Amino acid sequence: MVAAKLICCLNTILLMKTIAEVKKSKGKKKIAMLSLYDAMFAAHANNVDIDLLLVGDSVSNVLLGYDSTKRIGMKEMEIFTKAVANAKPDCMIIGDMPYKSYENKKSALENAKKFLNAGANAVKVEGDKAEIVKHLVKNRIPVMGHVGLLPQSAKKIRVHGKEEKEAQKILAEAISLEKAGCFSIVLESMPTKLAKKITSALKIPTIGIGAGKYCDGQVLVAHDLLGINPHEFKPKFVKHFAKLSPAIEKAFAKFRKEVVKGKYPSAKYSYH
Ligand code: KIV
C-alpha cells in the first residue's frame, strides 16, 4: 500500500516534470507529436525521439474503418491506449477523449481516470470545454485542448477561421482553454495567419495540424505520413514522408503468388 502510494507520487512528480518540459519548449524547440494506436508504432516513434504520442480518436477512421470519430467510445480507446502504453515509451502518452465521454464534470473525470489507468499520462478534449478542463486539472489530470476543426462536432470537414468572426471565436476559445489550465493546445485546419496569432497570444505550446508553420509543434496521424492509406484520401496538409501502400500491396501479392504456386513455405521456412 505504502509502496503503491510512493510509486504513484513518483509518477506524478515525473509527469509534472514532463509537462513543465513541454511548456518550456515553447519558442525554443519545436514539438513533434504523432497520433498512433499500437505498441509497434509507439516503439518505432520512441526509438526516434518523437516528443508526444497521441492515441487519437482518429483510430475510428484509420484502423476501424468507420466514417466518423463519433463511432467509437471509451472501451475502444482504453484498448488502444493500453496497446501504446505497452511499448513503455519514454515520452508522454495523451489519450483522446472520445465523443460523449466528457459531457459533464463527473463523466469527464471518470473517463479521464480510465485513460490514466490504461497508461496515458494526459487527456485531450475538443472545443470550448473550459469548465471540464478546470475540473480535470483540479483533480491533477493534465489536459491538452483542441480548437479549430473539431471532428467530433463539425458538420463539415473544412478549414475553420477564414472569416474574422469565426477566427475571433477560435482565438477566444484557445485563450479560455489556456486560462482553464491546458498544458498545450492542438490547432486543427485553420489559416496559417490565425494559427500564428493564437501561438503568439498563448504562453502554452500550440501543436498544429493543417495550421501552418508557426505553431510550436506539429502532429500528424502516423498512417497518413507513412502513405499507408489504400484509399485516395489525402488532405492538403498531409505530407507523405514515405509511400508504403505500394510496398505493402507488392508484398501481399508476392505472398499470395508463392502460396498459390506452392513455393512458400520452402524448406528454409519449415521445421525439420
Ligand atoms: O484523433 C486524432 O488523431 C487527432 C489529431 C489529428 C490531432 O485528434
Side-chain angles (χ1 to χ4, degrees):
M1 182 74 176
V2 176
K5 271 196 176 163
L6 263 174
I7 290 170
C8 179
C9 192
L10 203 63
N11 281 344
T12 310
I13 293 168
L14 285 175
L15 179 59
M16 290 309 152
K17 188 174 160 269
T18 316
I19 299 272
E21 273 165 13
V22 172
K23 284 179 161 176
K24 254 191 2 215
S25 58
K26 186 167 177 103
K28 296 193 184 90
K29 180 189 156 276
K30 293 262 188 183
I31 298 165
M33 176 160 102
L34 279 179
S35 184
L36 44 74
Y37 329 105
D38 66 66
M40 241 187 232
F41 272 21
H44 284 310
N46 192 47
N47 287 346
V48 297
D49 296 330
I50 293 294
D51 299 298
L52 301 173
L53 303 184
L54 172 70
V55 186
D57 63 354
S58 53
V59 67
S60 175
N61 309 83
V62 179
L63 288 194
L64 300 184
Y66 291 123
D67 60 357
S68 158
T69 58
K70 289 186 196 170
R71 300 289 295 275
I72 58 163
M74 281 303 300
K75 230 169 53 192
E76 293 91 339
M77 291 307 295
E78 281 177 82
I79 292 171
F80 289 111
T81 303
K82 269 187 198 144
V84 170
N86 283 342
K88 301 198 179 0
D90 304 311
C91 60
M92 193 194 295
I93 300 172
I94 300 145
D96 203 2
M97 296 198 70
Y99 183 57
K100 291 204 171 195
S101 70
Y102 50 105
E103 285 191 305
N104 55 58
K105 288 182 186 174
K106 188 169 174 280
S107 68
L109 185 57
E110 269 169 22
N111 288 322
K113 282 182 179 168
K114 287 184 188 167
F115 270 107
L116 298 204
N117 287 336
N121 313 107
V123 295
K124 176 169 86 59
V125 298
E126 283 187 16
D128 191 7
K129 291 283 185 292
E131 289 311 309
I132 299 288
V133 172
K134 273 185 208 162
H135 188 60
L136 296 180
V137 172
K138 199 171 97 188
N139 284 279
R140 306 173 116 208
I141 297 180
V143 187
M144 176 177 270
H146 184 155
V147 298
L149 170 66
L150 306 172
Q152 288 175 12
S153 54
K155 289 192 180 77
K156 197 175 160 218
I157 301 300
R158 63 171 175 87
V159 177
H160 279 59
K162 276 190 167 182
E163 283 169 12
E164 190 51 27
K165 199 171 158 202
E166 193 175 48
Q168 287 302 335
K169 186 172 170 278
I170 296 171
L171 172 64
E173 273 172 21
I175 292 172
S176 144
L177 287 168
E178 176 177 67
K179 276 195 188 137
C182 282
F183 70 92
S184 172
I185 292 193
V186 168
L187 308 183
E188 180 162 357
S189 289
M190 65 180 67
T192 302
K193 217 171 83 184
L194 174 59
K196 186 179 182 192
K197 194 170 176 183
I198 297 174
T199 300
S200 350
L202 302 186
K203 289 190 190 72
I204 55 172
T206 58
I207 315 270
I209 175 158
K213 65 176 186 175
Y214 297 107
C215 299
D216 299 302
Q218 298 291 330
V219 56
L220 279 178
V221 169
H223 294 70
D224 283 346
L225 79 83
L226 290 173
I228 221 171
N229 190 342
H231 315 294
E232 286 304 304
F233 175 73
K234 188 183 131 7
K236 183 177 181 189
F237 61 81
V238 170
K239 177 171 175 181
H240 285 157
F241 289 83
K243 287 194 166 79
L244 298 190
S245 275
I248 290 171
E249 288 185 12
K250 203 170 156 190
F252 285 178
K254 259 175 124 174
F255 164 73
R256 182 188 162 273
K257 202 168 157 191
E258 290 196 16
V259 169
V260 170
K261 285 191 168 170
K263 215 173 142 195
Y264 175 85
S266 59
K268 183 182 169 188
Y269 298 101
S270 305
Y271 295 112
H272 303 289

